[in-house]
Amino acid sequence: MTYGKLGVIGAMKEEIELFHEHMEQVRESAKAGITFYEGVFHGKSIVLCKSGVGKVNAAVTTQILIDTYGVEAVIFTGVAGAVDPSLNVGDIVVSTECLQHDMDVTALGFPRGTIPYEATSVFAADTGLRSAAAGASRELFGAVKEGRVLSGDQFIASRETVQLLHKELQGACVEMEGAAVAQACSMNGIPFVIIRSMSDKADGSAHVNFAEFTVQASENSYRIVDQIVKRLP
């Protein structure tokens, strides 16, 4: 499958700066306070941007990429906290699907994570992009975890919450943007994948791990997307 113009999103500066350094023919513009870099990356047309942290920023950024810049596929890349106990700092998660863990209407009888009155609350990643990301991760790092990415407007730093997210919602990792990107893409019929490198174990040690490993984790994510774009037809 060909994917056309590609949108690449990171939430933080560290998550996009390597892409920016390696892009060619870069044109810069801004909308809604977000800077977008249109250019060429390995001969492919891409639009790179930093969404900012949180689901609203991520959803707005994704819609602008689709409406204003005409992207035909979206990759969200960056760091996350490990929820699956088999994951360690530096490991890679490629999304099979995404869910908002902080969508909680259980008081009205809905299961946690369910968006009331919507057809679905679980947004599946594109199989082609997912396969390309998993293959690149295995080639570069020898392993990958394909699993559910959980998103919420919370920085998780509690062992008890981690256990709940893994057991109740079957999460592999937790972050603050992916499910919003996934929902916006799904609503517009745009293929997507979320690629996350573990910067911490979301267990209370984040104040030690996060700053130390964010740069390395962002580099790992960059290397995977670099390989994906090289391989795209």
Side-chain angles (χ1 to χ4, degrees):
M1 179 177 178
T2 55
Y3 292 95
K5 185 185 288 186
L6 184 66
V8 178
I9 311 173
M12 301 183 296
K13 175 176 68 71
E14 294 88 349
E15 295 170 336
I16 70 163
E17 57 188 358
L18 284 171
F19 295 96
H20 191 238
E21 289 173 9
H22 291 89
M23 286 175 65
E24 300 174 329
Q25 304 172 36
V26 178
R27 302 184 307 279
E28 182 179 327
S29 55
K31 189 173 179 66
I34 303 158
T35 301
F36 295 85
Y37 304 97
E38 298 176 84
V40 176
F41 187 68
H42 295 310
K44 313 295 194 306
S45 177
I46 78 165
V47 185
L48 174 72
C49 58
K50 181 188 75 173
S51 64
V53 173
K55 293 187 299 180
V56 172
N57 280 329
V60 169
T61 299
T62 305
Q63 195 65 52
I64 292 171
L65 280 171
I66 295 166
D67 288 344
T68 302
Y69 295 94
V71 303
E72 298 171 73
V74 172
I75 297 175
F76 197 106
T77 179
V79 302
V83 169
D84 187 314
S86 70
L87 289 168
N88 293 304
V89 171
D91 286 349
I92 301 296
V93 171
V94 172
S95 64
T96 56
E97 58 192 18
C98 298
L99 174 75
Q100 296 179 58
H101 69 79
D102 63 346
M103 178 61 68
D104 188 349
V105 197
T106 53
L108 297 182
F110 293 92
R112 183 173 177 178
T114 299
I115 305 169
Y117 317 119
E118 294 292 330
T120 186
S121 304
V122 179
F123 303 98
D126 177 74
T127 55
L129 291 174
R130 172 185 160 188
S131 177
S137 180
R138 289 189 186 97
E139 183 177 303
L140 290 166
F141 305 111
V144 65
K145 175 72 177 180
E146 296 182 75
R148 177 178 284 183
V149 174
L150 302 177
S151 306
D153 288 324
Q154 303 165 359
F155 191 96
I156 303 300
S158 156
R159 288 183 177 87
E160 291 75 17
T161 303
V162 165
Q163 290 170 1
L164 181 149
L165 293 177
H166 182 56
K167 292 178 180 178
E168 183 178 341
L169 298 180
Q170 297 80 52
C173 68
V174 63
E175 35 87 300
M176 301 176 71
E177 297 85 25
V181 172
Q183 184 173 353
C185 284
S186 296
M187 291 171 73
N188 288 276
I190 298 293
F192 75 90
V193 71
I194 312 298
I195 300 166
R196 292 295 198 177
S197 180
M198 302 303 101
S199 60
D200 62 272
K201 291 179 73 71
D203 61 357
S205 62
H207 65 287
V208 175
N209 292 341
F210 187 77
E212 180 179 353
F213 290 107
T214 290
V215 173
Q216 181 61 53
S218 297
E219 183 177 334
N220 291 349
S221 295
Y222 163 79
R223 291 176 65 193
I224 293 171
V225 180
D226 179 69
Q227 289 298 313
I228 293 171
V229 176
K230 284 179 181 177
R231 299 173 184 184
L232 289 179

